[in-house]
Amino acid sequence: MKKQLTLWILIILIFSSCATSKNQSARVEKGMASYYANKFNGRKTASGEKYHHNQMTAAHRTLPFGTIVQIKNLNNGKTVKVRINDRGPFVRGRIIDLSKKAARQLDMIREGVVPVEIRY
């Protein structure tokens, strides 16, 4: 009897944990994105690695280093995936700073600052 009860509890826990993980939705932020100026190329980021303008990286105020996020340019619908490796931006109203490569792929170089949606 005790083995059957233990088995049923184990089965319930397994199925309930599966249901929880499948129902988790992506978190979304909307705001303005900018990109790093050329002068920051080669400088150390908050994570300790060097910033390289030809990599797909970004700065976010709170997301853990290494988090992969999808960025969507709300002006044109283009998307990219970047890895968080720095802190910032520290300009009011902006939610992410992108590497120049990511900004180029989002076609935002000319504008400099664009509205985006971040999914993680």
Side-chain angles (χ1 to χ4, degrees):
M1 184 73 147
K2 190 173 183 180
K3 283 185 180 182
Q4 283 181 329
L5 180 61
T6 304
L7 180 60
W8 280 110
I9 291 173
L10 183 60
I11 290 170
I12 290 169
L13 287 173
I14 289 170
F15 282 112
S16 66
S17 67
C18 290
T20 303
S21 63
K22 285 183 182 178
N23 291 331
Q24 289 180 344
S25 60
R27 295 185 184 185
V28 178
E29 285 183 63
K30 288 186 179 183
M32 301 302 284
S34 54
Y35 66 94
Y36 285 87
N38 289 332
K39 69 180 183 179
F40 293 107
N41 195 45
R43 291 191 186 177
K44 196 179 264 191
T45 65
S47 68
E49 64 185 82
K50 287 186 178 181
Y51 165 70
H52 295 287
H53 61 94
N54 60 346
Q55 293 180 345
M56 298 295 285
T57 57
H60 189 277
R61 288 187 196 104
T62 59
L63 289 174
F65 296 137
T67 301
I68 305 296
V69 297
Q70 181 176 320
I71 312 296
K72 180 179 183 180
N73 181 337
L74 295 176
N75 286 343
N76 60 24
K78 293 184 179 186
T79 63
V80 297
K81 288 187 178 178
V82 296
R83 180 178 52 85
I84 303 299
N85 74 336
D86 201 6
R87 291 290 171 235
F90 300 108
V91 176
R92 188 179 186 149
R94 296 188 195 169
I95 60 171
I96 198 160
D97 271 335
L98 302 167
S99 66
K100 196 163 191 177
K101 182 175 182 177
R104 192 173 291 115
Q105 287 186 15
L106 288 174
D107 198 19
M108 62 175 277
I109 297 293
R110 180 173 283 160
E111 294 98 334
V113 180
V114 297
V116 296
E117 177 182 271
I118 301 174
R119 290 186 179 271
Y120 53 94

